[in-house]
Amino acid sequence: MATNQPFNYFKNGLAIGATIGLASGIAATVWVKNRKELSADDVLNQVKRAFLLEGPIEGSWINFEKQPLRKFAVHSTAYNGGITRMEDGELAIYEFLADTKTGTVLDITRSI
């Protein structure tokens, strides 16, 4: 019986170590995903894909500086950008604000 006791300690220690390692790995993955922000190019490509579903675009731009955004009680950061396209023979310009974490368009305005 005395020879089995050290083996049980090893199995118990291994199980505890594996459980702690798995839990900390999951926690680290969740933490990194919550803190991750998309690059300005990725956000612009998402917006361009959405506009291309409705027709061709002439040009696009995005400001690489993140700007703080507050809508009511919600605080976030956003990229400012724009898309140009021909509509009814005239150049239409769309300016947008997109969330830096998800790429979601938060606001869009059409000029001209």
Side-chain angles (χ1 to χ4, degrees):
M1 232 22 194
T3 59
N4 282 342
Q5 193 170 7
F7 184 68
N8 286 338
Y9 288 143
F10 175 74
K11 282 191 335 187
N12 291 341
L14 184 64
I16 291 171
T19 303
I20 290 172
L22 181 65
S24 63
I26 290 171
T29 301
V30 169
W31 183 77
V32 167
K33 281 190 176 186
N34 285 339
R35 300 204 29 100
K36 180 182 173 190
E37 291 185 342
L38 295 173
S39 71
D41 288 328
D42 292 338
V43 172
L44 182 60
N45 286 333
Q46 283 183 2
V47 175
K48 283 170 52 175
R49 270 183 295 208
F51 269 85
L52 284 171
L53 293 175
E54 294 184 2
I57 60 175
E58 295 292 320
S60 61
W61 61 273
I62 193 160
N63 188 358
F64 280 77
E65 287 184 26
K66 299 170 192 166
Q67 61 184 39
L69 179 68
R70 179 177 177 213
K71 283 212 169 193
F72 306 107
V74 178
H75 297 268
S76 64
T77 55
Y79 290 118
N80 183 24
I83 301 282
T84 57
R85 70 166 16 156
M86 293 298 288
E87 291 180 352
D88 300 325
E90 294 182 9
L91 193 63
I93 301 169
Y94 294 91
E95 290 191 26
F96 63 85
L97 282 174
D99 186 55
T100 59
K101 289 188 179 183
T102 62
T104 304
V105 175
L106 302 171
D107 189 23
I108 191 164
T109 56
R110 181 178 188 261
S111 22
I112 301 177

